[in-house]
Short mmCIF file of all heavy atoms in Angstrom, two decimals:
data_model
loop_
_atom_site.label_atom_id
_atom_site.label_comp_id
_atom_site.label_asym_id
_atom_site.label_seq_id
_atom_site.Cartn_x
_atom_site.Cartn_y
_atom_site.Cartn_z
N LEU R 68 41.04 38.07 1.66
CA LEU R 68 40.04 38.69 0.80
C LEU R 68 38.88 39.25 1.61
O LEU R 68 38.45 40.39 1.40
CB LEU R 68 39.52 37.68 -0.23
CG LEU R 68 40.52 37.27 -1.31
CD1 LEU R 68 40.09 35.96 -1.95
CD2 LEU R 68 40.67 38.37 -2.34
N ILE R 72 37.68 43.46 2.41
CA ILE R 72 36.36 44.09 2.20
C ILE R 72 35.58 44.24 3.51
O ILE R 72 34.39 44.53 3.49
CB ILE R 72 35.52 43.34 1.14
CG1 ILE R 72 35.21 41.90 1.57
CG2 ILE R 72 36.20 43.40 -0.23
CD1 ILE R 72 34.16 41.20 0.72
N LEU R 97 36.73 29.47 -1.94
CA LEU R 97 37.39 30.63 -2.52
C LEU R 97 36.51 31.29 -3.57
O LEU R 97 36.41 32.53 -3.63
CB LEU R 97 38.75 30.24 -3.10
CG LEU R 97 39.57 31.35 -3.78
CD1 LEU R 97 39.80 32.53 -2.85
CD2 LEU R 97 40.88 30.78 -4.30
N ARG R 98 35.86 30.50 -4.39
CA ARG R 98 34.99 31.08 -5.42
C ARG R 98 33.79 31.80 -4.80
O ARG R 98 33.36 32.84 -5.30
CB ARG R 98 34.56 30.00 -6.42
CG ARG R 98 35.74 29.54 -7.29
CD ARG R 98 35.32 28.63 -8.43
NE ARG R 98 34.93 27.30 -8.02
CZ ARG R 98 35.76 26.26 -7.93
NH1 ARG R 98 37.05 26.40 -8.21
NH2 ARG R 98 35.31 25.08 -7.57
N ILE R 99 33.27 31.27 -3.69
CA ILE R 99 32.17 31.96 -2.99
C ILE R 99 32.67 33.28 -2.41
O ILE R 99 32.00 34.31 -2.51
CB ILE R 99 31.58 31.05 -1.90
CG1 ILE R 99 30.87 29.85 -2.53
CG2 ILE R 99 30.61 31.84 -1.00
CD1 ILE R 99 30.51 28.74 -1.54
N VAL R 100 33.85 33.25 -1.81
CA VAL R 100 34.44 34.48 -1.28
C VAL R 100 34.65 35.50 -2.39
O VAL R 100 34.35 36.69 -2.23
CB VAL R 100 35.76 34.18 -0.53
CG1 VAL R 100 36.54 35.46 -0.22
CG2 VAL R 100 35.47 33.41 0.76
N MET R 101 35.11 35.04 -3.54
CA MET R 101 35.33 35.96 -4.67
C MET R 101 34.01 36.59 -5.13
O MET R 101 34.01 37.75 -5.55
CB MET R 101 36.01 35.24 -5.83
CG MET R 101 37.52 35.20 -5.69
SD MET R 101 38.25 36.84 -5.45
CE MET R 101 37.71 37.69 -6.93
N GLN R 102 32.91 35.86 -5.04
CA GLN R 102 31.61 36.46 -5.38
C GLN R 102 31.32 37.63 -4.45
O GLN R 102 30.81 38.66 -4.87
CB GLN R 102 30.50 35.42 -5.29
CG GLN R 102 30.55 34.38 -6.39
CD GLN R 102 29.56 33.24 -6.17
OE1 GLN R 102 28.92 33.13 -5.13
NE2 GLN R 102 29.45 32.37 -7.16
N ARG R 103 31.66 37.47 -3.17
CA ARG R 103 31.47 38.56 -2.20
C ARG R 103 32.37 39.75 -2.50
O ARG R 103 31.96 40.89 -2.38
CB ARG R 103 31.72 38.06 -0.78
CG ARG R 103 30.67 37.05 -0.37
CD ARG R 103 30.49 37.05 1.09
NE ARG R 103 29.33 36.21 1.38
CZ ARG R 103 28.60 36.33 2.43
NH1 ARG R 103 28.89 37.26 3.32
NH2 ARG R 103 27.58 35.55 2.64
N VAL R 104 33.60 39.46 -2.90
CA VAL R 104 34.56 40.52 -3.23
C VAL R 104 34.04 41.33 -4.42
O VAL R 104 34.01 42.56 -4.37
CB VAL R 104 35.96 39.94 -3.50
CG1 VAL R 104 36.90 40.98 -4.11
CG2 VAL R 104 36.57 39.36 -2.23
N THR R 105 33.64 40.64 -5.46
CA THR R 105 33.15 41.36 -6.65
C THR R 105 31.83 42.07 -6.37
O THR R 105 31.61 43.17 -6.87
CB THR R 105 33.04 40.43 -7.87
OG1 THR R 105 32.20 39.31 -7.56
CG2 THR R 105 34.41 39.91 -8.30
N SER R 106 30.98 41.47 -5.55
CA SER R 106 29.72 42.13 -5.17
C SER R 106 29.98 43.41 -4.38
O SER R 106 29.19 44.35 -4.44
CB SER R 106 28.84 41.20 -4.35
OG SER R 106 28.36 40.14 -5.15
N ALA R 107 31.09 43.44 -3.65
CA ALA R 107 31.47 44.64 -2.90
C ALA R 107 32.12 45.68 -3.80
O ALA R 107 32.46 46.78 -3.35
CB ALA R 107 32.41 44.26 -1.75
N GLY R 108 32.33 45.33 -5.07
CA GLY R 108 32.88 46.28 -6.03
C GLY R 108 34.39 46.25 -6.18
O GLY R 108 34.97 47.20 -6.70
N TYR R 109 35.02 45.16 -5.76
CA TYR R 109 36.47 45.07 -5.81
C TYR R 109 36.94 43.90 -6.66
O TYR R 109 36.21 42.92 -6.85
CB TYR R 109 37.06 44.94 -4.40
CG TYR R 109 36.95 46.22 -3.62
CD1 TYR R 109 35.82 46.50 -2.86
CD2 TYR R 109 37.96 47.18 -3.68
CE1 TYR R 109 35.70 47.69 -2.16
CE2 TYR R 109 37.85 48.37 -2.98
CZ TYR R 109 36.72 48.63 -2.23
OH TYR R 109 36.61 49.81 -1.56
N VAL R 110 38.16 44.02 -7.14
CA VAL R 110 38.83 42.94 -7.87
C VAL R 110 40.25 42.82 -7.34
O VAL R 110 40.86 43.81 -6.94
CB VAL R 110 38.86 43.21 -9.40
CG1 VAL R 110 37.46 43.19 -10.00
CG2 VAL R 110 39.57 44.51 -9.73
N PRO R 111 40.79 41.60 -7.32
CA PRO R 111 42.17 41.43 -6.86
C PRO R 111 43.17 42.04 -7.84
O PRO R 111 43.01 41.91 -9.06
CB PRO R 111 42.35 39.91 -6.80
CG PRO R 111 40.99 39.33 -6.86
CD PRO R 111 40.15 40.32 -7.60
N ASP R 139 40.73 30.81 -9.99
CA ASP R 139 39.63 31.07 -9.06
C ASP R 139 39.48 32.55 -8.74
O ASP R 139 38.37 33.02 -8.46
CB ASP R 139 39.81 30.28 -7.77
CG ASP R 139 39.65 28.78 -7.98
OD1 ASP R 139 39.05 28.38 -9.00
OD2 ASP R 139 40.14 28.01 -7.13
N LEU R 140 40.58 33.29 -8.78
CA LEU R 140 40.54 34.72 -8.49
C LEU R 140 40.18 35.56 -9.72
O LEU R 140 39.87 36.73 -9.61
CB LEU R 140 41.89 35.19 -7.94
CG LEU R 140 42.28 34.62 -6.59
CD1 LEU R 140 43.76 34.90 -6.31
CD2 LEU R 140 41.41 35.17 -5.48
N GLY R 141 40.29 34.95 -10.91
CA GLY R 141 40.01 35.67 -12.14
C GLY R 141 41.08 36.70 -12.49
O GLY R 141 40.78 37.75 -13.04
N ILE R 142 42.34 36.38 -12.16
CA ILE R 142 43.45 37.29 -12.46
C ILE R 142 44.55 36.53 -13.20
O ILE R 142 44.54 35.31 -13.27
CB ILE R 142 44.02 37.95 -11.18
CG1 ILE R 142 44.55 36.91 -10.18
CG2 ILE R 142 42.96 38.83 -10.53
CD1 ILE R 142 45.19 37.51 -8.94
N LEU R 174 43.38 44.68 -3.28
CA LEU R 174 42.18 44.81 -4.10
C LEU R 174 42.07 46.25 -4.61
O LEU R 174 42.52 47.17 -3.94
CB LEU R 174 40.93 44.49 -3.28
CG LEU R 174 40.82 43.13 -2.60
CD1 LEU R 174 39.50 43.04 -1.85
CD2 LEU R 174 40.96 42.00 -3.59
N SER R 175 41.46 46.39 -5.76
CA SER R 175 41.11 47.72 -6.24
C SER R 175 39.64 47.71 -6.63
O SER R 175 39.05 46.65 -6.87
CB SER R 175 41.97 48.13 -7.44
OG SER R 175 41.65 47.35 -8.58
N GLN R 176 39.07 48.91 -6.68
CA GLN R 176 37.67 49.00 -7.09
C GLN R 176 37.58 48.56 -8.53
O GLN R 176 38.39 48.94 -9.37
CB GLN R 176 37.12 50.40 -6.90
CG GLN R 176 36.83 50.70 -5.45
CD GLN R 176 36.18 52.05 -5.26
OE1 GLN R 176 36.49 53.02 -5.94
NE2 GLN R 176 35.28 52.12 -4.30
N GLY R 177 36.57 47.71 -8.82
CA GLY R 177 36.38 47.19 -10.17
C GLY R 177 35.84 48.25 -11.10
O GLY R 177 35.39 49.32 -10.69
N ALA R 178 35.93 47.92 -12.37
CA ALA R 178 35.46 48.87 -13.39
C ALA R 178 33.96 48.91 -13.45
O ALA R 178 33.26 48.01 -13.15
CB ALA R 178 36.02 48.46 -14.75
#
Side-chain angles (χ1 to χ4, degrees):
L68 290 161
I72 62 168
L97 179 56
R98 290 189 288 269
I99 293 168
V100 168
M101 275 306 301
Q102 289 172 353
R103 293 207 171 205
V104 169
T105 56
S106 291
Y109 288 89
V110 294
D139 292 340
L140 294 167
I142 60 177
L174 302 180
S175 69
Q176 284 184 323

